[in-house]
Amino acid sequence: MSIFSVNKVDYEYRSRYQTVKALSDISYDFESGKFYAIVGRSGSGKTTLLSLLAGLDLPTGGEIVFDGKATKDIDRSELRRKEISVIYQNFNLFPLLTALENVMYPMQLNKMPKKEAEDRAKELLLSVGLGEKIFKQFPKMMSGGEQQRVAVARALATDAKVILADEPTGNLDTENGTKVIGILKALAHEKGKCVIVITHDEDIAAGADEVLRISDGKRV
């Protein structure tokens, strides 16, 4: 059964001077336990679709349904706190928080006791291959690969059903990129998550369970 359904979705960017159609009549179903790749050139609409899946905005036509409910009818902030985690290409770590505190943050936002959140954060950082020396480091003290893995650990902190990743290997070397993709695939195949990755990397697409290709805002 689909956890996400994209039903005839359109999206337009509107300004005082023009209207740009970023997505047109997109339909697709995403299931738990699968690793998906959304592929397209820059400007094709794939990041716009990811934003709609994350509930950061609503379609201007059609609807996106999460777990049987249209996103327009649910609290989208709560959706992101509890059900959907997003991994951004530029990491989006809090610069004044340590690695440990960054991973603890979403758990404390959901009222988890501090000690429990700290213990869970340590487990998650270790699970993505980061040692204890990273725990007290601030983002500016870490390499790009280390920051991305902290971002992955933070995305896992709420045990979300869906992981959305925007070009998660875009800032990484081949070795670290392979590690991150391996972690995301394991989340889908071993933990039953629905993992959706935006990528322009055809090697990542080749290893996905399913590939959604978008060109000029349309499914191809």
Side-chain angles (χ1 to χ4, degrees), residues 1 3-4 30-36 66 82-85 120 124 152 155-164 183-196 209:
M1 180 179 175
I3 191 166
F4 255 134
F30 298 94
E31 299 176 9
S32 299
K34 287 189 176 182
F35 178 88
Y36 294 88
F66 174 79
K82 297 182 177 179
E83 306 288 4
I84 298 172
S85 286
R120 174 71 175 145
L124 289 169
V152 171
L156 308 182
T158 55
D159 198 30
K161 295 176 181 177
V162 177
I163 308 291
L164 304 176
I183 291 166
L184 294 175
K185 284 185 178 179
L187 289 171
H189 299 151
E190 298 172 18
K191 302 293 185 181
K193 309 292 185 184
C194 175
V195 180
I196 304 170
D209 298 313

Side-chain angles (χ1 to χ4, degrees), residues 39-58:
V39 180
R41 294 180 179 179
S42 295
S44 63
K46 58 188 189 297
T47 299
T48 299
L49 178 57
L50 192 82
S51 296
L52 296 177
L53 291 172
L56 295 171
D57 205 347
L58 294 171

Side-chain angles (χ1 to χ4, degrees), residues 6 22-24 26-28 30 37-50 53 198-199 211-220:
V6 179
L23 294 173
S24 179
I26 297 279
S27 293
Y28 205 82
F30 298 94
I38 300 179
V39 180
R41 294 180 179 179
S42 295
S44 63
K46 58 188 189 297
T47 299
T48 299
L49 178 57
L50 192 82
L53 291 172
I198 296 286
T199 186
V211 179
L212 169 58
R213 294 186 182 275
I214 298 178
S215 178
D216 297 325
K218 298 178 180 179
R219 180 181 173 185
V220 296

Side-chain angles (χ1 to χ4, degrees), residues 53-145:
L53 291 172
L56 295 171
D57 205 347
L58 294 171
T60 50
E63 66 177 7
I64 292 178
V65 177
F66 174 79
D67 226 3
K69 294 182 180 179
T71 54
K72 64 182 175 61
D73 296 327
I74 58 182
D75 184 332
R76 289 179 285 127
S77 295
E78 184 173 357
L79 184 70
R80 289 191 298 277
R81 281 199 307 270
K82 297 182 177 179
E83 306 288 4
I84 298 172
S85 286
V86 184
I87 303 169
Y88 297 94
Q89 182 178 3
N90 62 353
F91 319 132
N92 273 25
L93 299 179
F94 297 110
L96 300 181
L97 298 183
T98 64
L100 190 64
E101 290 166 341
N102 263 282
V103 180
M104 290 172 63
Y105 180 81
M107 293 183 278
Q108 292 184 291
L109 201 63
N110 286 323
K111 311 301 184 185
M112 182 181 287
K114 183 177 180 180
K115 183 63 170 66
E116 186 179 344
E118 183 176 335
D119 290 344
R120 174 71 175 145
K122 288 177 179 178
E123 289 176 8
L124 289 169
L125 286 167
L126 291 171
S127 76
V128 297
L130 295 172
E132 293 184 9
K133 69 179 181 67
I134 289 290
F135 291 178
K136 294 185 178 181
Q137 289 187 4
F138 294 95
K140 67 181 179 181
M141 302 164 66
M142 306 174 205
S143 69

